[in-house]
Amino acid sequence: MILELADIRIHPGQQAAFDEAIVRGVTTVISQAQGFRGYKVNKGIESPERYVLQIFWDTLEDHTVHFRGGPLFPQWRAIVGPFFAQPPVVEHFELVGKSD
């Protein structure tokens, strides 16, 4: 399983609207993508305009090729993109270990 981690910065004062938009975008759009296995989203306490989105994929290509290159990506960006203060920083990770 692959973890996509997106570090997102939004425009100040938009937190309540973005909270709704990001959950709606994941649950109605990204959740339809091939290889999607789940997600978590957290928002910053010290930096309230900062969000960390974690999406779990079966393979790297499910995110980078099938989702990013397919018709769902523009739908996702239409929902969340207007809130972005800058492009998100996105990286991928493989599991090394975890707690029970």
Side-chain angles (χ1 to χ4, degrees):
M1 186 173 303
I2 299 298
L3 168 63
E4 169 199 355
L5 187 121
D7 188 344
I8 301 169
R9 309 298 171 108
I10 66 165
H11 298 289
Q14 298 293 308
Q15 291 89 344
F18 186 69
D19 289 356
E20 183 278 327
I22 194 167
V23 171
R24 179 170 40 91
V26 173
T27 59
T28 65
V29 178
I30 297 178
S31 65
Q32 298 177 54
Q34 172 183 318
F36 172 83
R37 292 294 166 240
Y39 81 102
K40 289 174 40 176
V41 62
N42 295 84
K43 63 180 172 181
I45 295 171
E46 293 81 9
S47 302
E49 294 86 24
R50 183 177 182 195
Y51 288 73
V52 176
L53 173 62
Q54 299 176 50
I55 300 180
F56 303 93
W57 300 95
D58 283 338
T59 69
L60 180 63
E61 292 75 19
D62 284 334
H63 177 234
T64 60
V65 176
H66 303 295
F67 176 68
R68 294 288 303 256
L72 293 172
F73 185 71
Q75 295 174 43
W76 157 250
R77 286 307 282 259
I79 295 170
V80 297
F83 294 94
F84 294 166
Q86 61 195 44
V89 175
V90 177
E91 295 182 330
H92 300 91
F93 298 86
E94 293 179 309
L95 180 65
V96 173
K98 68 175 188 172
S99 64
D100 291 333

